[in-house]
Amino acid sequence: MAASAKLNTRRLAVCAVMAAVMCIIAPVSIPIGPISITGGTLAIYLSVYLLGGAWGTASVLVYLLVGFVGAPVFSNYMGGAARLLGPTGGYLVGYLPMAFLAGLIIQQTWPLSGREKKSAARALAVQLLAMVLGTALLYAFGTAWYCFQAGVDLQKALAACVFPFIPFDLLKMAAALLLGFPLRRRLEQAGLL
């Protein structure tokens, strides 16, 4: 029982660190329309890679709550309820189902160490697919919210809020795959996961 409580405390600490990483990386942005390219999805990909579905989603929830109360952690160093509930807020709220789905699938591929190359390649393919599916869910949620809030049709919303971001999100997924395994292995060796 004590070992389980100790592990949960460690996971909680990693969860808090990942929420802090999101708060640092996500505001850095490049505006290209109503939505900006941010480091937010990269931080979430890493968080769910390290923590899985439940704990990864918890780190995203902490990040969103920090922004909701006004800390400038959303794109372009903005924060507050109006940003979260506005036309582009669906992409922020969509981080939650994205993290849960991607994390739930990714955690099914743990552990990677000790696998044969063929098995490890299959696990990496599943992890990439998990990030793609999670991001598709994010796009669907955010775009529906944007269409409703901004009063635009689906074609205009996709052109402004989804299509320009696909190449960047694919690059972030690749970065998360390259960074995620060594980070997770080191955290496991340190007894934090």
Side-chain angles (χ1 to χ4, degrees), residues 146-165:
Y146 184 77
C147 287
F148 177 74
Q149 291 269 0
V152 299
D153 64 28
L154 180 62
Q155 185 176 2
K156 286 182 182 173
L158 290 172
C161 303
V162 174
F163 297 144
F165 298 90

Side-chain angles (χ1 to χ4, degrees), residues 181-192:
F181 175 67
L183 284 173
R184 181 163 176 81
R185 185 175 58 203
R186 292 216 172 121
L187 290 172
E188 284 175 344
Q189 288 170 347
L192 294 172

Side-chain angles (χ1 to χ4, degrees), residues 6 10 22 49 68 80 84 90 94 151 157 163 168 174:
K6 195 180 281 189
R10 291 176 182 164
M22 281 179 236
Y49 198 102
F68 181 78
L84 194 62
F163 297 144
F168 298 101

Side-chain angles (χ1 to χ4, degrees), residues 9-144:
T9 302
R10 291 176 182 164
R11 282 191 182 140
L12 184 60
V14 174
C15 177
V17 167
M18 290 312 299
V21 167
M22 281 179 236
C23 290
I24 293 167
I25 293 176
V28 178
S29 56
I30 303 167
I32 62 168
I35 310 286
S36 297
I37 298 169
T38 72
T41 49
L42 174 61
I44 293 169
Y45 298 144
L46 286 172
S47 183
V48 299
Y49 198 102
L50 298 175
L51 296 166
W55 286 99
T57 304
S59 69
V60 173
L61 181 60
V62 170
Y63 160 73
L64 292 174
L65 291 173
V66 167
F68 181 78
V69 298
V73 297
F74 299 146
S75 67
N76 301 312
Y77 296 93
M78 302 186 78
R83 187 75 168 177
L84 194 62
L85 301 174
T88 60
Y91 294 99
L92 292 168
V93 175
Y95 283 168
L96 292 168
M98 170 194 166
F100 185 73
L101 176 64
L104 198 63
I105 296 170
I106 287 171
Q107 74 188 37
Q108 301 306 312
T109 65
W110 295 339
L112 269 181
S113 54
R115 290 181 181 229
E116 299 174 16
K117 285 184 180 180
K118 192 175 191 180
S119 177
R122 191 175 313 122
L124 287 171
V126 169
Q127 292 166 357
L128 177 61
L129 178 62
M131 290 183 226
V132 168
L133 291 174
T135 304
L137 186 58
L138 166 70
Y139 287 163
F141 192 86
T143 302

